[in-house]
Amino acid sequence: MRKNSIKNTRINGEVLRELSSIIRGEIKDPRINPLTSVVSVEVAPDLKSCKAYISVLGDEKSQQDTITGLKSAEGYIRRKLAQNINLRNTPEIRFILDQSIEYGVNMSKLIDDVNRQ
């Protein structure tokens, strides 16, 4: 299976939806910020690994605590993913902090400040 095939794109979307649902509703870890969202998911073509890009609204400590909490709950998340999605292999999930939304908000704020002056 190629990386950008229709099947891989469909699997990425399904894993993204289920991962968001699991993180939002089923994990009770107090380290995980309630304003955590899954921005995108890249599942490898062989379905063995997965990169999940996570965005956290909050300060640096909150972001690091959320990533730590997600890494510690990885086994539970993977098991719930296997129950909800019928795949040949359940991918091993690697959580990566995505700063693009925060960067965009900061740039928008800077542009607004320049326009006011």
Side-chain angles (χ1 to χ4, degrees):
M1 180 169 61
R2 292 189 323 252
K3 186 173 183 178
N4 294 327
S5 69
I6 294 170
K7 181 179 177 185
N8 199 2
T9 304
R10 196 171 61 234
I11 289 172
N12 287 343
E14 190 66 28
V15 170
L16 174 83
R17 188 172 338 116
E18 285 299 325
L19 199 57
S20 296
S21 172
I22 292 168
I23 290 173
R24 182 178 54 248
E26 298 182 21
I27 297 181
K28 306 294 186 213
D29 193 335
R31 294 177 288 185
I32 297 175
N33 192 328
L35 298 174
T36 300
S37 61
V38 181
V39 177
S40 68
V41 171
E42 292 178 7
V43 179
D46 62 354
L47 304 177
K48 299 276 187 194
S49 65
C50 168
K51 292 179 186 175
Y53 295 94
I54 306 294
S55 176
V56 180
L57 191 63
D59 60 342
E60 187 71 30
K61 183 182 182 319
S62 174
Q63 292 174 352
Q64 293 304 321
D65 286 347
T66 298
I67 293 295
T68 304
L70 287 173
K71 285 181 181 176
S72 70
E74 181 182 350
Y76 174 77
I77 293 170
R78 191 173 178 194
R79 186 172 65 246
K80 293 301 277 185
L81 202 60
Q83 290 173 357
N84 296 337
I85 300 176
N86 186 17
L87 292 175
R88 187 174 350 126
N89 298 322
T90 303
E92 182 179 329
I93 305 168
R94 224 174 72 213
F95 295 102
I96 300 170
L97 188 62
D98 185 25
Q99 308 260 345
S100 62
I101 295 175
E102 184 179 341
Y103 178 76
V105 168
N106 287 337
M107 287 310 255
S108 178
K109 182 180 169 192
L110 291 174
I111 290 171
D112 289 343
D113 290 345
V114 167
N115 286 337
R116 284 192 199 118
Q117 294 175 355

